Amino acid sequence: MTISIVGMGLIGGSLSLALKESGFAQTIIGVDKQVEHVVKALELQLADKMALLDDAIQQADLIVLAVPVDSLLTLLPYVLDRVDRQIVIDVGSTKRPIVEAVRQHPKRGRFVATHPMAGTEYSGPEAAIRGLFTDKYTVICDAADSDEDAVTTVKALYEAIGMKITEFDSVSHDVHTAYISHISHICSFALALTTLEKEKEANRIFELASSGFASTVRLAKSSPETWIPIFRQNRDNLLDVLDEYINNLLKFKGLMLSDSYGRFEEYLREANDIQRILE
Amino acid sequence: MTISIVGMGLIGGSLSLALKESGFAQTIIGVDKQVEHVVKALELQLADKMALLDDAIQQADLIVLAVPVDSLLTLLPYVLDRVDRQIVIDVGSTKRPIVEAVRQHPKRGRFVATHPMAGTEYSGPEAAIRGLFTDKYTVICDAADSDEDAVTTVKALYEAIGMKITEFDSVSHDVHTAYISHISHICSFALALTTLEKEKEANRIFELASSGFASTVRLAKSSPETWIPIFRQNRDNLLDVLDEYINNLLKFKGLMLSDSYGRFEEYLREANDIQRILE
């Protein structure tokens, strides 16, 4: 199968490596609108060749759109306008605005909305790594709106690169990702800012940074180009979660102010329950 | 050298392994007030023998107090009452209340206040691991209040287990650790609670949890017995940081509500600067 990947960054590049390694793709055609990415992707052998978008659409059996979610809103209809038998998937972190953008499109059936739940805090072709997707979940959304053959092929693709598949409707997907992905980026960005602001008056502060701090603040290295469009598209869900998060912080603050450490400890024990879910 | 370690949990147990491996200690005597820890520490060979506190003090050249910081307030004076030539160190995450507790003690010079900046989210003897301290920083606080020979020996101890040494006064230490350690635990605990509360109505939520979420929420697995006393002792500093953190979150919220994504992106770029400090 020939697969064209539009956007040779962390996700597009890593997907390319996985698809070649698994043998699911015989040929990978890369597309990127940034010259630096085109050059880098070839240098790193992330694609067999780089092409312009229209050619890449025509030559592919399957087209992966791995661009920021704001670009998807125009790119996806553009690509669907040009496909015939080909299958198109996106790998964006929001789903409702994406499927809305092509709800009435005559080629809607050729599109499968997906979200492989994998990533790192780095971006660009240099961030592409082998094994990024292995044993992780991928979500397929609103599968009933896609042609059956397209869904079957897309499932086979993700299984070929070692992913587990789960299905959600796009509305639930966006609520859930607000809770278990988007908010944690907000937490990290805000924590980084808080500490960096303090550093201005106390420049030795980071000498004491431990692995725990590094872990909590890790996502603050993430690309604003990727995340601002996600925050924008999932704004309403994210604002709900953010309010609940701030309320929990205010609760902690109130308990400290009133020296209610017994009650505070009960909350921490409840929070410990996260062990049940994460190794 | 014979070293007694009081508290055979994550830190005490890991320190024991490191001190034996480095050859700095010929004999490790363990002390713990919990029967389960005594049995487990022997089973895991974390100490050459377990003893009762008073005997462990008498038989040691150096005594490490690796207990929660609230227990330190009474344990440290108790131990100093019983030492003569021996050196005593603590490894607690707060420093000002600890040094205050023995400021007037006639044996204050035998005590060196330290804080090895290393740990994991796990606790108890089973959490002890080899190499926990290698290449990390340890802080020595208010060194001028300790006898010179004691400081020299304690520095040699930490160097022997591969740590880098930095010195702070205890007041600055507590301000800095509020920013780069204590607040990140608060962030994680609150994030875990927020997500677990949502799970009650949407039980499939964690299917989508990615490695980014796991990283941000990791510290929420930490022991409340360890952390509540730290939050309590460092309350005023932590409340300052918590206010700044909440203000940053409210700023993000306001920017989303007013669709000011340009300004929001600038903040995220500022936050990206954390890359400068953390690999």
Side-chain angles (χ1 to χ4, degrees):
Chain A
M1 185 178 277
T2 295
I3 296 182
S4 288
I5 298 182
V6 186
M8 293 302 281
L10 163 69
I11 301 296
S14 300
L15 199 52
S16 178
L17 293 170
L19 287 168
K20 286 286 280 188
E21 201 164 273
S22 70
F24 192 87
Q26 276 72 56
T27 308
I28 298 279
I29 304 173
V31 178
D32 205 292
K33 63 176 184 177
Q34 292 185 60
V35 172
E36 301 78 17
H37 285 193
V38 171
V39 172
K40 222 38 182 170
L42 285 171
E43 192 182 311
L44 296 168
Q45 298 183 292
L46 297 180
D48 295 297
K49 65 170 181 177
M50 297 298 289
L52 295 177
L53 180 58
D54 288 7
D55 292 336
I57 296 169
Q58 293 319 311
Q59 293 168 27
D61 302 301
L62 188 148
I63 301 139
V64 179
L65 307 182
V67 301
V69 294
D70 53 347
S71 307
L72 270 181
L73 298 181
T74 48
L75 178 65
L76 177 56
Y78 180 93
V79 172
L80 281 186
D81 286 346
R82 283 156 184 77
V83 302
D84 169 20
R85 65 190 158 83
Q86 303 100 308
I87 297 165
V88 183
I89 68 173
D90 82 313
V91 292
S93 293
T94 57
K95 280 284 146 297
R96 204 190 42 77
I98 311 302
V99 300
E100 284 302 329
V102 292
R103 185 169 296 288
Q104 306 300 331
H105 198 286
K107 287 288 166 58
R108 172 64 182 88
R110 303 316 295 158
F111 170 58
V112 183
T114 82
H115 181 197
M117 302 297 299
T120 74
E121 64 274 37
Y122 304 109
S123 52
E126 302 91 333
I129 48 174
R130 276 170 216 287
L132 180 64
F133 303 101
T134 316
D135 293 330
K136 308 273 174 59
Y137 267 101
T138 202
V139 188
I140 294 181
C141 283
D142 301 349
D145 296 335
S146 304
D147 294 345
E148 226 175 281
D149 71 295
V151 174
T152 304
T153 301
V154 171
K155 285 185 176 172
L157 179 155
Y158 281 118
E159 278 163 5
I161 63 170
M163 296 196 85
K164 296 174 279 189
I165 293 166
T166 183
E167 295 193 32
F168 276 85
D169 65 274
S170 54
V171 173
S172 304
H173 169 277
D174 286 7
V175 173
H176 287 210
T177 51
Y179 277 91
I180 49 72
S181 166
H182 306 171
I183 186 70
S184 55
H185 286 78
I186 293 281
C187 298
S188 279
F189 279 121
L191 178 60
L193 272 190
T194 303
T195 323
L196 288 164
E197 281 159 9
K198 183 66 181 176
E199 192 200 17
K200 288 171 192 160
E201 49 180 285
N203 59 19
R204 291 178 64 200
I205 198 166
F206 288 106
E207 268 185 29
L208 305 190
S210 62
S211 58
F213 176 76
S215 172
T216 316
V217 88
R218 176 166 78 82
L219 297 179
K221 301 179 193 170
S222 303
S223 157
E225 286 89 347
T226 301
W227 284 95
I228 285 286
I230 294 169
F231 297 158
R232 185 201 293 246
Q233 286 190 12
N234 207 17
R235 188 187 88 144
D236 295 347
N237 290 321
L238 188 52
L239 282 171
D240 285 347
V241 187
L242 184 52
D243 277 337
E244 291 168 32
Y245 181 61
I246 292 171
N247 281 340
N248 277 320
L249 292 169
L250 290 171
K251 201 160 60 183
F252 288 0
K253 178 182 168 179
L255 293 168
M256 282 194 278
L257 280 172
S258 61
D259 287 322
S260 308
Y261 293 99
R263 185 78 197 98
F264 197 3
E265 189 164 342
E266 286 170 35
Y267 280 119
L268 301 196
R269 275 187 208 294
E270 276 180 46
N272 278 169
D273 196 31
I274 202 78
Q275 285 178 126
R276 178 170 53 76
I277 289 131
L278 303 171
E279 279 155 29
Chain B
M1 184 178 276
T2 296
I3 296 182
S4 288
I5 298 180
V6 186
M8 295 301 282
L10 163 69
I11 301 296
S14 300
L15 199 52
S16 177
L17 292 171
L19 287 167
K20 287 287 279 189
E21 201 163 272
S22 71
F24 192 88
Q26 277 71 56
T27 308
I28 298 280
I29 304 173
V31 179
D32 205 293
K33 64 177 184 175
Q34 291 185 60
V35 172
E36 300 77 16
H37 285 194
V38 171
V39 172
K40 219 45 179 167
L42 286 172
E43 191 182 310
L44 297 168
Q45 297 182 293
L46 297 180
D48 296 297
K49 66 171 181 176
M50 298 297 289
L52 294 177
L53 180 58
D54 288 6
D55 293 336
I57 296 169
Q58 293 319 312
Q59 293 167 27
D61 302 300
L62 189 147
I63 300 138
V64 179
L65 307 182
V67 301
V69 294
D70 53 346
S71 306
L72 270 180
L73 298 180
T74 47
L75 178 66
L76 177 57
Y78 179 93
V79 172
L80 280 186
D81 287 346
R82 283 156 184 77
V83 302
D84 169 20
R85 68 194 154 80
Q86 302 101 305
I87 296 165
V88 183
I89 69 172
D90 82 312
V91 291
S93 293
T94 57
K95 280 285 147 294
R96 202 189 46 74
I98 311 302
V99 300
E100 284 302 329
V102 293
R103 184 168 298 287
Q104 306 300 332
H105 197 285
K107 288 287 167 56
R108 172 64 182 90
R110 304 314 297 157
F111 170 57
V112 182
T114 82
H115 181 195
M117 302 296 299
T120 74
E121 64 274 37
Y122 304 108
S123 52
E126 301 91 333
I129 49 174
R130 277 170 216 287
L132 180 63
F133 303 102
T134 315
D135 294 330
K136 307 275 173 62
Y137 268 101
T138 201
V139 188
I140 294 182
C141 282
D142 301 348
D145 295 335
S146 303
D147 295 346
E148 226 173 280
D149 72 295
V151 174
T152 305
T153 302
V154 171
K155 285 184 176 173
L157 178 152
Y158 280 118
E159 278 162 4
I161 63 170
M163 295 196 86
K164 296 174 280 190
I165 293 168
T166 184
E167 295 193 31
F168 276 85
D169 66 272
S170 55
V171 173
S172 304
H173 169 277
D174 286 8
V175 173
H176 288 210
T177 50
Y179 276 91
I180 50 73
S181 167
H182 306 171
I183 187 68
S184 55
H185 285 78
I186 293 281
C187 298
S188 279
F189 278 122
L191 179 60
L193 272 190
T194 303
T195 323
L196 288 164
E197 281 159 9
K198 184 65 183 179
E199 192 200 17
K200 287 171 193 159
E201 48 180 285
N203 60 20
R204 291 178 65 200
I205 199 165
F206 289 106
E207 268 185 28
L208 304 192
S210 62
S211 58
F213 176 77
S215 173
T216 316
V217 87
R218 175 167 79 83
L219 297 178
K221 301 178 193 172
S222 303
S223 156
E225 286 89 346
T226 302
W227 284 94
I228 285 288
I230 294 169
F231 297 157
R232 185 201 293 247
Q233 287 190 12
N234 207 18
R235 187 188 88 143
D236 294 349
N237 290 321
L238 189 51
L239 283 172
D240 285 348
V241 188
L242 185 52
D243 277 337
E244 291 168 32
Y245 180 61
I246 292 171
N247 281 340
N248 277 320
L249 292 170
L250 290 172
K251 201 159 59 183
F252 288 0
K253 177 181 166 178
L255 293 169
M256 282 195 278
L257 280 172
S258 61
D259 286 323
S260 309
Y261 293 99
R263 186 78 199 96
F264 196 4
E265 188 164 342
E266 286 170 34
Y267 281 119
L268 302 196
R269 276 187 209 294
E270 277 181 45
N272 278 169
D273 196 32
I274 201 79
Q275 286 179 124
R276 178 171 52 77
I277 290 129
L278 303 171
E279 281 155 29

